[in-house]
């Protein structure tokens, strides 16, 4: 945004957002236009509306978080390319077809694509990138199921919290089983979250990322 303001102050016609870079990831540009598109999706996923954000600091923080996610997505896409992960045209078409059905009609779907700044070809390319990135992310962050010993240890360490979340039951023999099942699920999610964080951190550390001011 500083570039646009500088152009205005100097009386220079600013270049379009499509030509401005919000960041570069290993030399690959993430345009301001791409960031603005994704920022809208990011806010929508959080149940926020852009017009409701009055605090400039909050706006900047949320926008920076959206850019962080875009950088991670680009790194995952590049890793997918490096590993030779290919998403076929048929898989892309099937995924887009499911989305189109969810909107109820092709007309509504086309309108929403236009509102998001996509045509069909651009959205197909975007979908291919997303699917490949998600596929490599799942591969890199896969973890083994926790052992029973680990589940029991996790249950003992978090017993009060897990018991408080359990459904009440008159059968006391059921309560420990419920607690262990909850512990198993919670531990598996914790391990998966740690693995995903490790993947993102490793990709960041091995990459050259430049963010625009």
């Amino acid at each position: 945004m500083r570039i646009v303001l500088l152009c205005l102050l100097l009386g220079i016609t600013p270049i379009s957002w499509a030509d401005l870079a919000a960041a570069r990831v290993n030399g690959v540009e993430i345009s301001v236009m791409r960031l603005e598109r994704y920022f809208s999706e990011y806010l929508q996923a959080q149940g926020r509306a852009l017009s409701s954000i009055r605090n400039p600091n909050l706006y900047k923080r949320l926008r920076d978080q959206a850019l962080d996610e875009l950088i991670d997505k680009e790194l995952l896409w590049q890793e997918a390319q490096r590993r030779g992960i290919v998403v076929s045209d048929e898989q892309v078409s099937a995924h887009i077809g499911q989305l189109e059905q969810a909107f109820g009609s092709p007309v509504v779907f086309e309108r929403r694509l236009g509102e998001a700044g996509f045509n069909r070809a651009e959205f197909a390319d975007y979908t291919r990138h997303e699917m490949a990135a998600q596929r490599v992310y799942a591969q890199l962050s896969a973890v083994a199921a926790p052992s029973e010993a680990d589940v029991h240890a996790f249950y003992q360490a978090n017993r009060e919290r897990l018991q408080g979340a359990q459904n009440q039951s008159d059968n006391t023999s059921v309560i420990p089983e419920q607690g262990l099942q909850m512990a198993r699920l919670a531990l598996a999610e914790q391990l998966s979250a740690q693995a995903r964080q490790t993947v993102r951190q490793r990709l960041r550390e091995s990459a050259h990322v430049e963010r625009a001011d």
Side-chain angles (χ1 to χ4, degrees), residues 147-207:
S147 67
E148 287 303 305
D150 288 339
V151 170
H152 279 266
F154 184 86
Y155 175 71
Q156 292 299 327
N158 299 274
R159 190 166 187 166
E160 290 186 9
R161 178 171 62 84
L162 291 168
Q163 286 180 338
Q166 290 180 67
N167 294 326
Q168 295 299 318
S169 173
D170 293 332
N171 187 346
T172 57
S173 65
V174 174
I175 294 177
E177 289 303 318
Q178 290 178 338
L180 287 173
Q181 179 61 18
M182 293 177 67
R184 186 174 292 105
L185 294 173
L187 179 56
E189 177 54 36
Q190 178 178 297
L191 293 174
S192 294
Q194 291 172 349
R196 291 192 295 269
Q197 176 62 29
T198 299
V199 169
R200 294 194 301 270
Q201 183 176 346
R202 180 174 61 80
L203 291 176
R204 285 286 189 108
E205 289 174 350
S206 62

Side-chain angles (χ1 to χ4, degrees), residues 121-139:
E122 290 170 340
F123 188 67
D125 190 51
Y126 170 82
T127 300
R128 191 186 309 278
H129 284 211
E130 285 289 297
M131 292 177 70
Q134 290 171 10
R135 193 172 296 178
V136 75
Y137 198 19
Q139 291 179 4

Side-chain angles (χ1 to χ4, degrees), residues 53-124:
I53 303 174
R54 308 293 186 184
N55 187 316
N57 292 329
L58 176 60
Y59 174 87
K60 183 180 185 306
R61 178 166 60 82
L62 291 171
R63 196 168 182 273
D64 285 345
Q65 289 173 357
L67 180 55
D68 283 337
E69 288 198 2
L70 269 183
I71 289 170
D72 288 337
K73 286 175 179 290
E74 179 59 37
L75 286 170
L76 286 166
W77 163 242
Q78 292 179 16
E79 182 67 14
Q81 289 180 297
R82 191 182 72 80
R83 290 172 176 262
I85 293 177
V86 176
V87 179
S88 69
D89 292 342
E90 291 76 13
Q91 290 170 323
V92 171
S93 296
H95 184 76
I96 293 176
Q98 291 174 356
L99 293 176
E100 190 170 330
Q101 286 183 350
F103 279 98
S105 77
V107 175
V108 175
F109 182 65
E110 291 285 351
R111 185 173 70 247
R112 292 299 298 273
L113 281 185
E115 290 171 354
F118 289 106
N119 58 37
R120 273 195 172 265
E122 290 170 340
F123 188 67

